[in-house]
Structure formats: structure tokens, C-alpha cells
Amino acid sequence: MLKRCKPWVTLAMLAASATQMARAELTIVITKGSDQAIPIAIVPFGWNGVGPVPFDVAQIVAADLARSGRFKPMDRQDMVSLPARGDQIQFEDWRLLKSDFIVIGRLVPGATDQFAVEYEIYNVLTGQRLAGDRIAAATSTLRSAGHRVADAVFERLTGVRGAFATRIAYVSVDGRPPKQSYQLVIADADGANVHVIASGPEPIMSPSWSPDGSRLAYVSFESRQSAIYVQELRTGVRTRASGWSGVNGAPAWSPDGKRLALALSRRDGNLDIYILALADQSLVRVTEDPAIDTEPAWALDGQSLYFTSDRAGGPQIYKADASAGSKVKRLTFDSSYNARPRVAPDEHEIAFVTLDGGGYRIGALDLKSGSSRVLTNGTLDESPSYAPNGVMLIYASQERGRGVLAIVSTDGKVKESLAADQGEVREPVWGPFAN
Amino acid sequence: MRKVLQPFGTALLLSLALLIAGCPSKTTTQPEAPPAPTEAPPAQTTDTTAAEAAEAARRAAEQRLLAQTVIYFDFDRSDIRPEYAEVIAAHARKLAAAPNLKVRLEGHTDERGSREYNIGLGERRAQSVRRAMLLQSAGDGQLNTVSYGEERPAVDGHDEGAWAKNRRVEIVYQ
């Protein structure tokens, strides 16, 4: 009685331009900072064009660096001068202000609506110029240019690639049960630039970024059954990738972007892991067990999958080769409930939902040493997702009974929450690096 | 503790439950069914009248069972609690008597834990009700399952009271 649905293509309901500004941005609050943050001065960028400065790039840079927890940007009112060029910096002043580094820059007007964003990073102690570059931008991309400056500063001073110029996807829910409406939302990693890319009265869940960031796979119940859709973000063109009878869930892109791992129940009601080749719709069944097998996540080499299974009683994390009938290895033992694994960008660890002291929290397991730790202290934390540089994890949490997003640094030192001004937000997934 | 309901166990459970005649019907938040249609008492022998009264009572009881369209579950369990065996049996009888009727069995969980795992648990609950109905002679083609996991709670709230109302299978006639 299997009903296999042929892939079909539609335009997303809300016009081919695909996106719609619909709701206010997320508000970020840093709830726990690090006491080892590096003091840095981000001076307001110079501007010698006509009229007021079109955008405060330095403010974006400072906010990004502050959110990382690794830096403590100086308050502007404490700055005694506002240099825009290297020869204007009085290093002695900044040494007295106890700033280790200083970032200066200029917004240079070009053709209509075009700018060059120039920035330089200096070591205050030595006076040495550490880096500098020039980024071309339009008015609409000045914000994103700010994130790229922050990325450059972060990488030059920490040795780790910055992930500020990235995006997140999440699900937003309005209304109260049993009547709710659901939106699939994309925003910048700082919660700005919010766009709704799919919406409706039936649940939307489990968004997953393609490795190149051009598409999202997600589950929608719009046909009153679960089905997996793949939507191209630029055009809004949407394909139904999996519409078998029963559950179609938990899509996860393979590292080469050609396959989706997913969970299907087919007719017998038992969830197993499958791999769907997007080009020809061919399906490989990876697990065959009467338990619930779901929430696959790819290993970096695309050769194996981490997943949740309750084959030993409660849900635990397992690993299997990404092929038919492969052997399965159990990885987690520390709690009665471990689910939804996500793989760190360098695969040295996995993060997952763990039952810890009566609360569902985000745990991490070091894959080499086998030691695990709990990173959060909520009661209903779920859906962890790594930033592409591995420094932060975004996850879903609850504040006063309302769904919010939260971010924790993988060293546990920094925490922040991102709340919408209305409704609930959940299931955040961090997109890949922009290029 | 994972519990996959065995067909044999289900049959036993349902038969047992059916033997316990007259057990008090569960209190429910569902609206009461309209009263069973009562026929004008024909002026015939007392025996026939008694038999018809018994039949009317049986129909009323059946309607009360059919008015219950939500089956609730224990935490992380998908086995059917004994008090729902009669309800499921009544719906199965209705389906068996009307082969054109179809139902959707919509499985749900409470909000705790991981979302896609909860989709699996909701599906397991819906399948549990489906198998019980199949054993009571409902036709396979009459039963469709869908799992919403924790995505469509019946009630708001983050405590055991709300969770208990959200762990459910809804029987929805098409």
C-alpha cells in the first residue's frame, strides 16, 4: 500500500521573490559573560560623504564581538578620540584606557548607493598594524559588511574563523493551542533581517540547511500528513522531496549536498533511517529495527550517520555506516534519555538533548575520550545546532513558559538568549559559512 | 521504558476489558453524544418491551463510548490503558458495521524531549490504537495514522496536568 509521490515543483505561496518581512527581529540578551574577555575599542567609522553617515558599521562589529563572549568592546562614551586613520591613533591614550586592541575604519562613498568599507586592526601595546581590508558594499549590505569586519577581527585575534556573517533558520509559532500558526523563518545570526519563507496553520518542523546554504529542507504537515520539502531560498522554488505514507521526518543533508538522510515509517508505523538521493529519488534503508530510529546527522566524511534510537529501551545516540544493513554502535550511556545528535564542525564531539537532573538539557560527548558534559541548565532545552566555526551552539529553550532561542559557547562560559517580541521560537539551525 | 504493544497482549487486554461489564465510563472532556434515538414503546408483550429497553440501554452505552474520541497515554508509553479498551472496541464495531467509514488516528506527545523522537512516539501511539481496532474487525483501509509528535498540543501549559492532556491519540472520522 505504499504510495510513492513523484517529486513535483511549485512556487512557494508567497511569490517567487520568496521572502517576506513579517515580524520583528529577535532581541539578544547576554545572560552570562566570560571574565576573560579581551578589551577592545571599536571606533565609529569615519565618513566624508554627503549627508549623515548611512550606517553605523562599527556598532555591528562591536555587538558581534561582545556576543562572542571573547571580547569586551569599550563603551563609546569612554573614547577620548575617534581616529579614522592609523596615523590619527594616539596609542598612549588607548593604553591608558586599557584597551588591548583598536579597530578603526572608514565608509568611503563610491557610485550611487555604493561604498567601500575600509577597516584596520592595531595592537595598542605595540602600535603594530595587524590587519586591514576593504569590502565593497551597497546600502542594503552595509550591515552584512559589518559582520564580515567582525569575522576578520575575530579570526585575526583568536585564530578561529568568525561566524558572524552567517544565518540561522528557525520555526516561529503564534497563537495558543489548539489553534496555532507556524512560520519557517530565516534571520542573520544576530537575529536581524528576519524573513518568513513558509507559513501556515499546519505544523512546520525540522529545518535543515544545505551545505552551501542555498536551500532548506524541512517537514510540513500542510497536506495533513508529514512530507519533506526542499526550498531554494533565492527563488522560492520548492520541491516535495519525500511524501511517503506515514512519517516523513528529520531531514539532514549529506556533506556533498546530494542526499538527504531522513526517517520514514512507511506503512508499518516503525521509524527507520533512510538515505534519499535527490537526483533520482532512490532510497537506501540504513536501519531495520522495531525501535524508533530517527534524527540522523552525517559524519563529516559522508560515510556514516549518528542517530537516535530507543532499541535498548529509552532513546540513545548510535552510529551506523551510511549504507544498507550496516552494523550499529551505541555511543551514549550516561543518561536514560539522549536524543537528536548534532556533529561539531570538526567532529571532535556531538551535542544532543540529554535528561539531566530532571531537566532536558544540551549535552556534549567528546568522541575521542568518551567523556560527556552538560552545557545548559534549562528544563526543556532542545534542538542544539553548532555554529559553523564550532565556537557556539544555538538551541531552543523556555523562559517563563515561552519558547525562546538561546546560545551557549561550547566551553560553557558564555550564554545569551534570543526572544521574539511575540509568539514562540524554536528549532534553530545555524547555517553554513557564507562562502 | 519502550513498550511495543504485542498483538496477543492487546487481544487479551481488550477481551478482559470487555468482560468487565458495567465498569464506570471514564469521565471525559468530550461533549456528550446526543441521546440515542428512542423508539415509541409499542404496545406489545412485557417481554418484548424489556428486550427493547435493554437494546435502547445498550445503544445509549455505545453512544457514550463513541462520544469519547481521545485516548490518553502514560508518559513515554504507547500501550493502551485498560479504561480505553471499550472505547476503542466501540469505534472498531462502528467501523466494521460501516465499511465506507474512515478514521484518522492522530498521535500526539507532550512537549518533553526531542521533537522528531516525539514524532516517532506519536506514530507508535497511533499504531497502537490502529492495531487494537484491527483486532476488533475494523478494516485496514479504514484506518489512517498520522503523528504530530509535540507539534499540536491540545492545551497550553508546562506541567503534568497539561502534559497528560497532550499525550493522546485523537480518533477523527473523515
Side-chain angles (χ1 to χ4, degrees), chain B residues 75-125:
Chain B
F75 173 63
D76 207 19
R77 301 288 288 262
S78 57
D79 46 337
I80 292 160
R81 301 198 316 229
E83 67 263 36
Y84 293 112
E86 271 194 285
V87 176
I88 291 171
H91 286 286
R93 280 194 294 274
K94 180 174 172 177
L95 289 166
N100 290 331
L101 272 185
K102 288 187 172 166
V103 292
R104 262 164 73 88
L105 304 171
E106 300 182 348
H108 301 267
T109 68
D110 68 34
E111 64 179 343
R112 288 174 289 173
S114 166
R115 288 178 181 276
E116 286 281 2
Y117 178 74
N118 281 340
I119 290 285
L121 189 54
E123 179 68 16
R124 193 182 268 164
R125 284 175 181 157

Side-chain angles (χ1 to χ4, degrees), chain A residues 157-227:
Chain A
L157 299 183
T158 68
V160 176
R161 186 171 177 182
F164 303 114
T166 56
R167 291 186 293 178
I168 55 172
Y170 56 91
V171 175
S172 150
V173 183
D174 286 336
R176 300 183 84 78
K179 283 270 177 245
Q180 296 187 289
S181 65
Y182 304 78
Q183 294 89 35
L184 179 57
V185 182
I186 290 176
D188 290 351
D190 64 353
N193 267 333
V194 168
H195 291 90
V196 174
I197 67 154
S199 61
E202 300 293 334
I204 294 171
M205 60 186 296
S206 303
S208 171
W209 288 93
S210 67
D212 65 359
S214 69
R215 290 170 290 172
L216 274 183
Y218 59 93
V219 173
S220 166
F221 286 79
E222 64 195 56
S223 60
R224 304 197 70 224
Q225 295 280 347
S226 57

Side-chain angles (χ1 to χ4, degrees), chain A residues 47 50 52-57 60 107-117 135-147 188 193:
Chain A
W47 164 250
V50 180
V53 60
F55 190 78
D56 189 349
V57 175
I60 294 290
L107 202 53
V108 183
T112 311
D113 192 39
Q114 296 294 312
F115 305 92
V117 176
I135 299 168
T139 308
S140 61
T141 60
L142 281 170
R143 188 181 183 93
S144 138
H147 293 313
D188 290 351
N193 267 333

